[in-house]
Amino acid sequence: DVKVTQSSRYLVKRTGEKVFLECVQDMDHENMFWYRQDPGLGLRLIYFSYDVKMKEKGDIPEGYSVSREKKERFSLILESASTNQTSMYLCASSPVGVVAGGSSYEQYFGPGTRLTVT
Amino acid sequence: AQTVTQSQPEMSVQEAETVTLSCTYDTSENNYYLFWYKQPPSRQMILVIRQEAYKQQNATENRFSVNFQKAAKSFSLKISDSQLGDTAMYFCAFDSNYQLIWGAGTKLIIKP
């Protein structure tokens, strides 16, 4: 079974802190994704990576950065946390790189990290 | 811009009933893929069913089936003989260029 793990289920941070969210997958997937999930808005893509050291901005990259130094690990960084970044953060992986015309491969999700910034 | 719309924020049905969740999308692409994902309470998101746009036949997975209307850009999910374990958020998603566009979700509650 594909397993995607996230470093924390719940996290509480103060405004201005630097926050690291870690994601690890164990199936040698090329693609990894970071989403933010908010009620009524569905999932919004923050960043994705289709290979080591490669990253692409998603729909809402402002205030976030990412790092992928190893294939299995994808980190999301909040450089200076703000209260409007309070949310559920989901990591996902899938087994194919950039594909024009779309992909039928499913994305495998981690359990999520509920981040509260006070 | 490509968008996905789920017009039903919340639905509830009795156990064993059939329920249909609606999804519409907007794209100018011709080749793409559509998905329904399920997120049970406090559990991980999992894939329910997928449909390739060039396939005429509607996808089915056990009690789950879709009604794919390409011209109308509609992709509804039908759950037959609903079970308590079907209680979850259901998300419709669209993939045309290596990333998924997601709907806002429908919260489905199955009542005993």
Side-chain angles (χ1 to χ4, degrees), chain A residues 4 9 33 35 37 40-43 45 48 58-59 90 97-107 109-111, chain B residues 29 31-33 35 37 39 42-47 50 52 89 91 95-105:
Chain A
V4 180
R9 289 299 302 270
F33 307 83
Y35 292 97
Q37 182 181 8
L41 296 178
L43 277 69
L45 182 65
F48 75 97
D59 299 318
L90 298 179
V98 173
V99 178
S103 163
S104 67
Y105 288 97
E106 71 181 277
Q107 292 188 11
F109 284 82
Chain B
E29 302 288 335
N31 293 325
Y32 51 87
Y33 299 83
F35 303 82
Y37 280 82
Q39 187 180 39
S42 301
R43 292 176 61 188
Q44 286 163 252
M45 186 93 72
I46 56 172
L47 178 68
R50 82 191 88 192
E52 297 172 67
M89 284 291 294
F91 293 94
D95 180 352
S96 74
N97 285 303
Y98 56 81
Q99 59 175 291
L100 290 177
I101 310 297
W102 296 78

Side-chain angles (χ1 to χ4, degrees), chain B residues 62-112:
Chain B
N62 301 313
R63 297 183 295 107
F64 298 87
S65 61
V66 299
N67 183 4
F68 174 49
Q69 304 284 334
K70 190 174 183 180
K73 295 179 183 173
S74 170
F75 182 60
S76 61
L77 175 70
K78 186 171 86 170
I79 305 173
S80 304
D81 185 27
S82 58
Q83 301 175 358
L84 298 179
D86 295 332
T87 291
M89 284 291 294
Y90 286 81
F91 293 94
C92 177
F94 163 94
D95 180 352
S96 74
N97 285 303
Y98 56 81
Q99 59 175 291
L100 290 177
I101 310 297
W102 296 78
T106 295
K107 184 177 182 179
L108 176 64
I109 299 168
I110 308 299
K111 297 180 289 187

Side-chain angles (χ1 to χ4, degrees), chain A residues 34-38 41-48 56-66 76-78 84-90, chain B residues 99:
Chain A
W34 275 106
Y35 292 97
R36 173 174 170 158
Q37 182 181 8
D38 298 290
L41 296 178
L43 277 69
R44 292 179 293 168
L45 182 65
I46 305 172
Y47 270 97
F48 75 97
E56 292 284 343
K57 291 180 180 179
D59 299 318
I60 52 165
E62 296 78 19
Y64 304 95
S65 62
V66 291
L76 179 70
I77 304 148
L78 286 67
N84 64 11
Q85 292 179 310
T86 291
S87 187
M88 171 70 85
Y89 290 88
L90 298 179
Chain B
Q99 59 175 291

